[in-house]
Amino acid sequence: MDQFPQPVPEFAVLGHPNEGKSSVVSTLTEDDRIRVSRIPGETTESTAYTVKIDGKDIIRFVDTPGFQVPRQTLAWFRKFEGNPEQIVETFIQTFKNDPFYADDCELLKPVARGAGIIYVVDGSRPVRDDDLAEMEILRLTGRPRMAVINSKTDEKDYTADWRNEFRKHFNAIRLFNSNTADFTERIKMLESLKAIDQEWEGQLSDVISAFHADYRKRRDLACTAIFRALEQSLSFSLSEPVTGDEDLEALKERLNEKYQARIKKFEDDLFKKIRSLFKHHVFDHRLPEYSILNHDLFSKQTWELLGLTTEQLAAAGAVVGGTFGAIIDTAAAGHTFGLFTAVGGILGAGSALFSGKKMATNTPHGIRLGGDRLLLGPHKNPQFLYILLDRALIYYSHIIHRPHGKRDMGEGRENHLKKGFSTEFTSGQRTACLKFFKAVAGRSLIRDKKAISEFEDLLKELLEDLSGK
Ligand SMILES: Nc1nc2c(ncn2[C@@H]2O[C@H](COP(=O)(O)OP(=O)(O)OP(=O)(O)O)[C@@H](O)[C@H]2O)c(=O)[nH]1
Ligand SMILES: [Mg+2]
């Protein structure tokens, strides 16, 4: 760690207790470790949170305690007759050992060292005298300042009143909701900060470019991760020896469970990767009960919700219910007998395991027996790709739109999704999907590179659309 951190733009987030200051800092810095609480007085010390990109300090936001005695503090500020540039330092020096002013001294510390001011209010409550005193104190500091309206509820809206007051005291005003703001909103906030002091304009433009580049990088990494997970799941197969003594049904059951567990693990690992790319470290925000992703990957609801029509579901029959032979592609197992024969030939030379008779055996479920091994997968229903892809896109969208300062489950835009994205695909997009499916789930040893790169492009496009620009 640098002993002397580089000078980067620094902004202190100030306001009344419980207005959402810590939530705003948490969302702006994408740091879900910051303590947010419904009980006022949670933050007792000023703490700087630095946004780092590729290990480099980019910008700093300071979380602070709320004003405790704004009217008394204002009375002192009004009487101050010294050098106006020294007003904040002098206040802190005068009251640093006085418990009555402890919080007010603490919150002004970053301002004394030159931080710009972001004043946060809850626009769903009316303006009170204490607020006017706080605004006046901030005006008297002489520091560049922006007011932020972070409305905690939609029930009442006093934003017009707040704006009226803000015009007298601040260089810029912004609506910024710490519980809904996404990347685009964060960028808009940085753009507005440029306006409060020309001195920061150049530096903040660099910060914005760095934010954009970092976001693109994360999106590309997410794209690669999704691609790999799809490839892994679609090409996945497993097999187990069929011994004369074991009940075939039991073996099928076991293989089925193993298959599903592995596919779920691929998905789980992907989701973890996406979460970590977008810095959701502390809270594993499970999706609400009614969200599509809450259903098991292999459940009928999932397939229904993500867009299989009633006919398709009926045609797929037990497909999604988890019954063996239906959900897993085994019909194609015949093609791989060659491979297993070869392996068997090498391993158990001379054995007669792959007799033609055994190879031709068909079970009532359509499962072919390879004589000595039962093979599951790769999945042969292209719908499987759409299911996996939709779930990955829904999860990605959920995570990138989830602000770090939001701590309850509540409504999120992804919850309104009734269907998967793939139901809206154009025929061109569907063709790209099907070609990719064939390329990875098929048994051809030569991979169709064009199909793969076209699907990669499609995936990139989809993630770009979801992320916004
Ligand atoms: N619904 C909603 N709740 C919010 C929003 N912002 C903050 N809250 C909630 O309001 C409460 C206070 O938020 P904090 O961010 O801890 O407020 P603070 O200003 O840092 O509070 P102190 O540290 O106590 O001064 C928490 O329960 C937050 O979850 C918002 O935009 N919408
Ligand atoms: Mg706080």
Side-chain angles (χ1 to χ4, degrees), residues 21-22 35 42-43 63-64:
K21 300 181 294 299
S22 299
R35 287 179 68 97
E42 176 63 35
T43 311
D63 190 19
T64 66

Side-chain angles (χ1 to χ4, degrees), residues 189-201:
M189 176 80 144
L190 295 173
E191 290 283 358
S192 304
L193 282 173
K194 272 194 207 170
I196 70 173
D197 192 338
Q198 276 197 338
E199 251 184 55
W200 284 322
E201 223 178 290

Side-chain angles (χ1 to χ4, degrees), residues 89-318:
E89 289 94 318
T90 315
F91 175 81
I92 295 171
Q93 278 306 320
T94 311
F95 295 110
K96 65 178 181 214
N97 296 319
D98 184 342
F100 186 76
Y101 289 101
D103 283 350
D104 295 44
C105 279
E106 183 66 22
L107 71 94
L108 286 170
K109 274 186 192 166
V111 181
R113 65 170 184 257
I117 294 168
I118 297 176
Y119 180 65
V120 174
V121 301
D122 173 7
S124 61
R125 68 159 180 87
V127 186
R128 302 187 197 111
D129 284 348
D130 271 3
D131 306 309
L132 298 177
E134 291 167 12
M135 293 184 216
E136 184 62 9
I137 295 167
L138 298 182
R139 194 180 64 79
L140 290 170
T141 66
R143 297 297 305 156
R145 55 206 173 275
M146 173 162 88
V148 165
I149 304 173
N150 171 57
S151 292
K152 285 171 36 174
T153 70
D154 298 331
E155 285 151 29
K156 296 233 165 89
D157 183 15
Y158 292 95
T159 40
D161 297 350
W162 283 106
R163 279 179 190 279
N164 270 338
E165 291 304 331
F166 286 162
R167 279 191 198 102
K168 303 174 207 160
H169 299 90
F170 293 90
N171 318 84
I173 305 169
R174 251 225 95 75
L175 290 175
F176 180 85
N177 193 306
S178 63
N179 276 223
T180 55
D182 59 9
F183 177 73
T184 314
E185 291 297 318
R186 294 204 306 274
I187 293 291
K188 283 189 192 157
M189 176 80 144
L190 295 173
E191 290 283 358
S192 304
L193 282 173
K194 272 194 207 170
I196 70 173
D197 192 338
Q198 276 197 338
E199 251 184 55
W200 284 322
E201 223 178 290
Q203 256 181 308
L204 284 173
S205 294
D206 293 347
V207 170
I208 292 167
S209 305
F211 266 60
H212 275 295
D214 177 57
Y215 208 68
R216 273 196 302 275
K217 188 168 145 191
R218 287 195 249 168
R219 193 179 58 210
D220 288 349
L221 289 170
C223 189
T224 308
I226 294 175
F227 179 84
R228 294 227 171 101
L230 291 175
E231 201 182 25
Q232 223 173 6
S233 300
L234 295 175
S235 59
F236 182 69
S237 67
L238 79 175
S239 70
E240 281 207 13
V242 180
T243 60
D245 351 318
E246 191 183 15
D247 175 27
L248 187 60
E249 287 306 315
L251 173 60
K252 284 190 289 181
E253 193 60 41
R254 200 172 68 237
L255 269 183
N256 189 17
E257 275 169 21
K258 273 194 185 174
Y259 178 90
Q260 295 198 7
R262 285 295 296 275
I263 300 283
K264 282 183 205 164
K265 173 91 171 63
F266 295 148
E267 185 181 74
D268 208 44
D269 289 347
L270 169 67
F271 287 4
K272 278 195 191 119
K273 170 98 190 160
I274 294 175
R275 265 183 65 203
S276 113
L277 276 174
F278 290 89
K279 306 185 189 176
H280 284 282
H281 298 301
V282 180
F283 304 99
D284 181 4
H285 291 295
R286 299 262 162 218
L287 292 162
E289 291 285 304
Y290 43 87
S291 169
I292 301 170
L293 290 194
N294 252 7
H295 296 295
D296 190 278
L297 168 59
F298 290 98
S299 77
K300 191 173 168 208
Q301 285 102 315
T302 293
W303 289 54
E304 258 170 1
L305 285 166
L306 290 174
L308 244 71
T309 62
T310 322
E311 292 75 37
Q312 283 171 314
L313 269 173

Side-chain angles (χ1 to χ4, degrees), residues 248-249 252 318 323-326 328 330-331 362-368:
L248 187 60
E249 287 306 315
K252 284 190 289 181
T323 34
F324 185 68
I328 312 292
T330 51
N362 261 340
T363 70
H365 295 283
I367 299 158
R368 290 190 187 190

Side-chain angles (χ1 to χ4, degrees), residues 369-390:
L369 301 181
D372 65 339
R373 296 192 80 86
L374 184 60
L375 173 79
L376 261 68
H379 211 294
K380 78 156 191 261
N381 188 344
Q383 202 65 37
F384 192 44
L385 164 60
Y386 293 127
I387 300 296
L388 294 171
L389 176 60
D390 275 338

